[in-house]
Amino acid sequence: MDPQTFMDIATKVTKLKMYPYFDIAHYTLMCMSVRDDLPQNQPAGTQPFYRRHPLSTWLSSMLLCFAGSIIANILLGEPAITPFKDHRSVLTATAVWYLVFYSPFDLVYKLARLLPFKMVICGFKEVQRASKIYAAVNHTAKLYPNAYLIIVLIGTIKGAGSYLMKNFERLIRGVWVPGTNEILQPTFATKACLVASIVFLLERLNYIQAPHPLIYFGVVIFFVYFKLSALLLGIHDPFAPFENLFCAIFMGGMWDALRRAVVREQKPQDERDRNDMPMKSKEDKKKD
C-alpha cells in the first residue's frame, strides 16, 4: 500500500466518531455477555431468568456497558454515576438490551451469535476499545501529569472495565464467585489494554517518534487482529508463551525445575546404594 494512502486511512480511523455504530457494538457484546452468563438449563415449565428478573438483567447490562467509566471515576475521585448522565447513551444501551433479551423470536440474539455478524460486532468493539484507552490516557495525564502508574492503570481500566466489573455484576443477579476474577486470572483483553496504555503513554512522553495516526492505527489493528484470531483460529492469549518464559527466568520457575532435577538424581543414587549392600544370609540373621 502506498504510504500516503496508508497515512490517510490511519488519519480517518483516528477521527472516527464512536456513536452510534461502535457504541452499539459495545453495548451488544456486553448484553450478550450477561445473557450468556445466565443459567442455561432451566427446569421444565419455568421461565428463563431474564424473563423473571428483567430489572436485574438490565442493571447488570448497564454496569457492564459503562463499567470502565464507573471504575475509573471512582479511582479518580469523580462521581461514579456520571456515565449515566448521558441520556442518549443510556437510552441506546437500553434499546440494545431490550433487543438482545426480548426481540421477537429471539432474532437479534441469534443473529449476533452467527460468526459473520459476530466478527463485525467484535471488530467495531475493538476500535472503540482503542479510542477509550487513548481518551483515558490523555484525560488522566492532564490530572496527574507525572503519575505514570495512574495513567496506565486508568487506561487499562477504561479499556477492560467490563472484566473487572464482572464479579459485582454477577452479585446483582444473585451469583457470587469470588474465586474467578480478573485479578487472579487476567484475560488477554486486559493485558492488551495494559500494553496499549503503555504505548500511548510512551507516545505522549515522546519516546515513540512516529506520527500519532500511525501509532493509533497500529493499536487498532493489534486489537482487531487478535480478536478475530480468537474467533477464527482459537488463539486466546498470545502473551502466554512470553509470560511462561518470564516466570521461568524471574519468578523462580527455573530454580524449581533445577531442584526437581537434583532430587530425581539423588533418588536413583540412593537406590543404587541400597542395591549394592550385601544381603545377609539366613545363618547371619539367626546369629543376630
Side-chain angles (χ1 to χ4, degrees):
M1 184 182 295
D2 179 53
Q4 185 59 42
T5 304
F6 187 81
M7 178 64 73
D8 293 340
I9 295 175
T11 304
K12 291 180 180 179
V13 171
T14 59
K15 296 180 179 180
L16 286 174
K17 295 183 179 180
M18 295 298 106
Y19 187 87
Y21 304 110
F22 298 94
D23 285 346
I24 288 175
H26 167 67
Y27 300 150
T28 302
L29 287 179
M30 296 302 99
C31 294
M32 290 179 62
S33 174
V34 173
R35 180 163 176 176
D36 291 338
D37 198 42
L38 295 176
Q40 301 298 323
N41 297 325
Q42 297 288 338
T46 60
Q47 291 183 333
F49 181 90
Y50 58 87
R51 293 188 182 274
R52 291 182 283 116
H53 306 284
L55 178 60
S56 175
T57 56
W58 176 81
L59 186 55
S60 296
S61 300
M62 295 304 105
L63 285 178
L64 288 191
C65 289
F66 304 101
S69 298
I70 294 172
I71 300 175
N73 286 356
I74 293 174
L75 294 179
L76 293 175
E78 301 174 1
I81 206 170
T82 298
F84 296 99
K85 73 178 183 180
D86 187 354
H87 297 92
R88 184 180 64 176
S89 297
V90 174
L91 290 176
T92 303
T94 301
V96 172
W97 161 80
Y98 180 81
L99 292 175
V100 169
F101 282 91
Y102 306 106
S103 61
F105 307 106
D106 216 9
L107 185 62
V108 172
Y109 178 71
K110 292 178 180 178
L111 286 177
R113 287 180 60 88
L114 295 177
L115 185 60
F117 291 98
K118 193 170 185 179
M119 289 176 59
V120 174
I121 294 172
C122 290
F124 277 36
K125 158 64 182 174
E126 297 308 313
V127 175
Q128 193 230 31
R129 192 194 302 275
S131 175
K132 290 167 67 174
I133 295 172
Y134 177 70
V137 168
N138 284 341
H139 175 68
T140 311
K142 294 177 182 177
L143 298 177
Y144 303 98
N146 299 319
Y148 304 139
L149 178 61
I150 296 178
I151 295 172
V152 172
L153 177 64
I154 298 301
T156 304
I157 290 174
K158 287 282 285 188
S162 59
Y163 298 96
L164 299 169
M165 183 67 78
K166 197 66 178 177
N167 275 37
F168 186 70
E169 171 267 326
R170 285 174 173 170
L171 184 61
I172 291 177
R173 294 187 282 108
V175 180
W176 176 240
V177 190
T180 58
N181 61 69
E182 196 64 16
I183 304 301
L184 291 176
Q185 300 170 343
T187 59
F188 168 73
T190 302
K191 302 172 188 176
C193 291
L194 175 64
V195 173
S197 300
I198 294 174
V199 169
F200 286 136
L201 175 61
L202 293 178
E203 179 202 4
R204 189 176 180 85
L205 297 175
N206 295 322
Y207 286 107
I208 299 180
Q209 298 294 333
H212 169 68
L214 290 182
I215 298 174
Y216 184 90
F217 191 45
V219 172
V220 171
I221 292 175
F222 171 77
F223 278 122
V224 174
Y225 173 78
F226 282 108
K227 186 62 179 182
L228 297 183
S229 298
L231 292 176
L232 299 175
L233 306 176
I235 303 175
H236 295 291
D237 192 354
F239 290 135
F242 303 100
E243 292 176 2
N244 295 335
L245 179 62
F246 179 83
C247 292
I249 297 175
F250 299 104
M251 299 297 177
M254 182 171 58
W255 307 113
D256 292 340
L258 181 61
R259 185 175 63 252
R260 288 194 296 268
V262 172
V263 171
R264 281 198 300 267
E265 289 180 358
Q266 289 179 347
K267 287 183 178 179
Q269 181 64 36
D270 295 339
E271 292 177 359
R272 288 195 298 269
D273 294 341
R274 287 196 298 269
N275 294 333
D276 293 340
M277 293 177 62
M279 297 295 293
K280 291 185 178 181
S281 62
K282 294 182 179 180
E283 297 179 356
D284 293 337
K285 290 181 179 179
K286 290 180 180 179
K287 291 179 181 180
D288 294 340

